[in-house]
Amino acid sequence: MATTSEDLRERRKNAADSCERWLSHKRVPAPDRLRQLADAVQDDQVDVYGNGGEIAALEKEVAELLGKPAAVFVPTGIVAQQSVLRVYADRAGSDRVAVHGLAHLLVHELNALEQVHHLRIERLTSEPRQPRPDELAAIPGKLAAVTLELPLRDAGFVLPTWDELVVFSETCAKRGVPLHLDGARLWESTPYLDHSLAEIAALASTVYVSFYKVLGGISGAALAGPEDVIAEVRRWQRRLGGNLYSLFPYAVSARNGLRTVLPLMDDLHQRAVEVAKALQSEGFRVFPEPPHTNSFRVYAPRTAESIEQVAVERMERTREALCGPWQPADVPGWSWVELVAAPATLEWQVDEIAKAFGELLVR
């Protein structure tokens, strides 16, 4: 039966609302989510404007995990990264920041760095890979900061090797420019880089991490770095409206994720590698191969419209959610989707996942 894209979107939404099993992130009803948070509370004190209680405990934990002197909790990563880059620009007396052309800072934030902070963006590269030291060297003049997104999500969750990361860090240090890590998915990067969070963070001046992705927090992020930089970030957080009267529910969920999900990173990366290999035997292609983190792209030899139709029909029939909407690929006749190995993924057998995806290519 023919259908419009709008119809498919509505059907997918309705099907997702009725699903009883999820391959990536489970849907938990709001009342159950709140009850789980109540059970996870470790501090009876409620923070006031980010001071005390679970917020203070979370900031201490993150600083220790990342091996930095200080950390600050921020409701959104957008506020966190705008704040730290503005601090670097003010300190350097330069409005130029080196960023990858596919970075979240440029692609998903409505040009905030330029519109709000009047920063000038110097693109290291826009190729779907991590930038190289020679590309940094090719940008002349004084820079306020250099950023790396680890992993680079819009390139397919790609990471540099450890040696490449070390060389890039040393290049920034020799130039005297701070390196800032957009580590929204840094937790998931440790298996591939084969180094601890603190060892990775030691290569940069400041690091941003997110709590609501694989860790399953409600929302929120943290920025870690030198005490004086973090103190200035707190002032910009206030200016940008990110200093809410109380933030403790976010901190409770974040700390719970650090306790329960962070120890699973090796398992999630291994499951992603196993699933990627199994999907290739069903006629799909994956990128990167093998995955660098617990997330990767799956490519199908079908148009986005045709495979999305089958995917939605399968959701309606089985009440299983395998993935998000399929998107057109650069190659005509192909489509792609992101696949994330989360704690729920460990409840599925690898061959079961491969079979379920294989059903999407039958028609």
Side-chain angles (χ1 to χ4, degrees):
M1 180 178 67
T3 183
T4 66
S5 297
E6 190 171 326
D7 289 338
L8 265 182
R9 284 194 293 269
E10 184 64 22
R11 285 177 59 192
R12 171 177 276 277
K13 179 182 180 300
N14 293 335
D17 290 340
S18 299
C19 280
E20 299 173 347
R21 196 178 184 209
W22 299 265
L23 180 58
S24 290
H25 300 294
K26 286 185 178 180
R27 288 196 178 187
V28 181
D32 294 340
R33 188 82 184 274
L34 291 175
R35 280 188 283 268
Q36 292 172 3
L37 283 181
D39 293 337
V41 170
Q42 299 179 72
D43 193 319
D44 291 339
Q45 181 184 358
V46 175
D47 70 285
V48 178
Y49 289 114
N51 294 312
E54 298 269 1
I55 290 290
L58 174 61
E59 290 175 346
K60 185 174 184 292
E61 289 177 13
V62 171
E64 291 175 351
L65 279 170
L66 297 177
K68 296 297 185 185
V72 55
F73 179 86
V74 184
T76 73
I78 291 177
V79 171
Q81 300 205 100
Q82 284 185 36
S83 296
V84 73
L85 292 179
R86 179 58 183 268
V87 169
Y88 284 140
D90 289 346
R91 287 185 165 202
S94 171
D95 59 1
R96 301 170 67 233
V97 178
V99 182
H100 195 293
L102 295 177
H104 192 283
L105 285 161
L106 301 186
V107 179
H108 300 290
E109 300 182 17
L110 299 179
N111 201 26
L113 292 181
E114 293 181 339
Q115 292 292 324
V116 178
H117 301 280
H118 307 294
L119 298 181
R120 293 169 55 198
I121 305 304
E122 300 288 352
R123 285 168 173 76
L124 291 158
T125 179
S126 292
E127 294 293 321
R129 55 169 172 76
Q130 289 287 338
R132 301 189 304 261
D134 64 291
E135 290 166 331
L136 173 58
I139 300 175
K142 188 174 185 179
L143 293 173
V146 177
T147 74
L148 283 184
E149 184 177 320
L150 301 180
L152 186 57
R153 187 255 183 100
D154 282 316
F157 304 96
V158 296
L159 286 165
T161 65
W162 174 254
D163 289 343
E164 289 169 341
L165 183 58
V166 169
V167 171
F168 195 91
S169 171
E170 291 173 345
T171 302
C172 292
K174 290 177 182 177
R175 186 161 174 171
V177 59
L179 174 61
H180 168 70
L181 296 184
D182 176 340
R185 295 170 175 81
L186 192 67
W187 317 113
E188 300 97 310
S189 302
T190 53
Y192 179 82
L193 293 174
D194 197 25
H195 283 76
S196 70
L197 289 166
E199 289 170 329
I200 298 169
L203 299 179
S205 300
T206 49
V207 184
Y208 143 67
V209 289
S210 176
F211 298 117
Y212 76 88
K213 297 177 177 65
V214 73
L215 294 187
I218 296 176
S219 188
L223 187 79
E227 291 182 356
D228 59 331
V229 173
I230 298 304
E232 290 189 60
V233 166
R234 288 184 186 276
R235 291 169 63 84
W236 274 106
Q237 177 185 0
R238 178 74 168 176
R239 291 173 179 136
L240 294 172
N243 187 223
L244 282 63
Y245 178 67
S246 182
L247 292 158
F248 76 92
Y250 303 103
V252 171
S253 65
R255 295 184 74 194
N256 188 54
L258 290 176
R259 286 194 306 272
T260 62
V261 183
L262 186 56
L264 300 177
M265 291 304 110
D266 285 338
D267 293 336
L268 296 181
H269 178 242
Q270 181 60 34
R271 180 52 53 92
V273 170
E274 295 167 350
V275 171
K277 183 177 180 179
L279 291 182
Q280 291 179 94
S281 68
E282 292 289 334
F284 295 90
R285 299 190 68 177
V286 302
F287 182 83
E289 208 308 294
H292 292 181
T293 70
N294 65 315
S295 305
F296 58 98
R297 286 189 176 188
V298 180
Y299 289 86
R302 297 286 188 276
T303 65
E305 183 178 0
S306 64
I307 196 168
E308 177 67 1
Q309 169 107 15
V310 177
V312 170
E313 289 173 354
R314 188 185 187 283
M315 288 178 68
E316 294 170 333
R317 184 178 71 256
T318 65
R319 296 192 174 184
E320 293 178 345
L322 296 181
C323 58
W326 289 82
Q327 308 292 330
D330 291 337
V331 178
W334 282 70
S335 55
W336 69 274
V337 74
E338 290 180 348
L339 189 59
V340 180
T345 315
L346 301 177
E347 300 173 9
W348 294 60
Q349 297 298 315
V350 174
D351 58 352
E352 181 184 17
I353 298 171
K355 180 180 178 182
F357 268 84
E359 293 175 10
L360 306 184
L361 297 184
V362 171
R363 288 175 53 185

